[in-house]
Amino acid sequence: MKETILRTEGLTHHYSIGDRKITILDSVSLSVKSGEFVVISGSSGSGKTTLLTLLSGLDKPSKGEIWLAGQEISRLSENALTPIRNDLIGFVFQAFHLIPSLNALENIMFPAELKKDRLAKPKAEELLERVGLWERRSSMPQQLSGGEKQRVAICRALINNPRLVFADEPTGNLDSENSFSIINLLSALREEHDTTLLMASHSSEVAQSATRILKLHDGRLTGEHTGLS
Ligand SMILES: Nc1ncnc2c1ncn2[C@@H]1O[C@H](COP(=O)(O)OP(=O)(O)O)[C@@H](O)[C@H]1O
Ligand SMILES: [Mg+2]
């Protein structure tokens, strides 16, 4: 039986607009086991990004608990949280968020260099080769296509070998052919590296690759079903 790597209990989040309090997430309780590929589906505005932001400790919930690798993180200070986040989590974003002044290889190396990993370069080179971008290693982000940028971003998310990868609409800026290959790549890398993948997407096509689908509607989990793979 695989261990539970991530769990929430009654996760609730409000935003205040003027004197109005708006509930964005409402009592979300979920549990993810190591190695799963979970897609959080739901239309735009349903709370997917907010949920990933809270799960990764980038913002504090109004109420509820978040357990990450056995530790309750929702009340930890930023100082306590940063090393946990750096060790456990990799991120992939819709807008890629590559550093424009660094080339493909340097972008991938960056998180490993922050940790003073002496193997940053060979690890980055191996990942680049794995995703078929060896020839593009010296290219700057603006010289890369959307699909290539996202492959670089995926390598960067994986270089510190995180146990969890959060991906927020990673194919949102890509055409359908590139989307398909990015999802296949993430799915394959997840198996190779035995990582857990939590992906927000409003595309039902993307959800078909998941091992499990969680449905968000107006900030509530409304359903769950097992994916096809
Ligand atoms: N900083 C914020 N302040 C106020 N409302 C916000 C903020 N961020 C998101 N929201 C609102 O929260 C709801 C959910 O947003 P979001 O989590 O981005 O959903 P999704 O990623 O599913 O599109 C939306 O109605 C959005 O307008
Ligand atoms: Mg979003």
Side-chain angles (χ1 to χ4, degrees):
M1 202 54 185
K2 293 264 194 179
E3 61 168 323
T4 298
I5 181 129
L6 180 67
R7 185 165 72 78
T8 71
E9 205 62 65
L11 200 62
T12 298
H13 200 59
H14 311 291
Y15 282 117
S16 298
I17 297 182
D19 52 5
R20 265 195 333 142
K21 197 165 83 171
I22 301 172
T23 302
I24 305 294
L25 289 176
D26 191 359
S27 307
V28 172
S29 298
L30 57 83
S31 173
V32 177
K33 287 201 188 308
S34 193
E36 282 195 279
F37 176 1
V38 176
V39 164
I40 301 160
S41 73
S43 54
S44 178
S46 58
K48 303 181 296 297
T49 296
T50 305
L51 179 58
L52 288 186
T53 304
L54 297 178
L55 293 179
S56 55
L58 290 169
D59 196 3
K60 300 270 185 237
S62 307
K63 217 167 81 184
E65 295 174 4
I66 302 165
W67 293 81
L68 188 61
Q71 195 173 4
E72 211 284 311
I73 62 156
S74 67
R75 304 288 174 259
L76 291 181
S77 69
E78 194 52 33
N79 275 350
L81 204 49
T82 302
I84 297 175
R85 195 161 48 221
N86 290 348
D87 280 348
L88 287 177
I89 302 173
F91 292 90
V92 180
F93 303 93
Q94 175 172 350
F96 320 124
H97 293 192
L98 298 179
I99 301 171
S101 57
L102 300 181
N103 70 27
L105 184 69
E106 291 161 345
N107 262 285
I108 298 170
M109 286 167 62
F110 190 70
E113 288 195 312
L114 283 182
K115 291 182 65 176
K116 310 226 179 308
D117 183 348
R118 278 182 295 134
L119 297 176
K121 192 162 184 215
K123 282 181 185 170
E125 286 173 341
E126 193 181 324
L127 281 162
L128 258 177
E129 185 137 47
R130 166 65 186 85
V131 305
L133 286 181
W134 180 249
E135 306 296 330
R136 307 295 266 143
R137 63 193 177 281
S138 305
S139 298
M140 302 306 282
Q142 80 265 18
Q143 299 171 307
L144 300 171
S145 72
E148 288 170 338
K149 278 188 243 203
Q150 198 57 301
R151 282 189 275 160
V152 170
I154 289 168
C155 294
R156 179 184 56 181
L158 290 174
I159 192 160
N160 286 335
N161 219 11
R163 308 221 2 234
L164 264 164
V165 173
F166 291 142
D168 192 2
E169 310 260 5
T171 63
N173 283 343
L174 303 177
D175 59 35
S176 62
E177 194 179 323
N178 271 299
S179 297
F180 186 69
S181 84
I182 286 294
I183 297 301
N184 280 343
L185 180 64
L186 274 168
S187 186
L189 287 168
R190 167 194 137 252
E191 287 185 28
E192 288 164 33
H193 295 252
D194 198 29
T195 42
T196 309
L197 179 57
L198 210 64
M199 184 188 298
S201 176
H202 64 257
S203 147
S204 53
E205 228 174 320
V206 165
Q208 292 193 357
S209 310
T211 54
R212 194 151 59 96
I213 302 159
L214 299 175
K215 289 204 161 151
L216 258 187
H217 183 72
D218 287 344
R220 284 171 172 270
L221 277 185
T222 56
E224 171 169 337
H225 52 93
T226 306
L228 300 177
S229 60

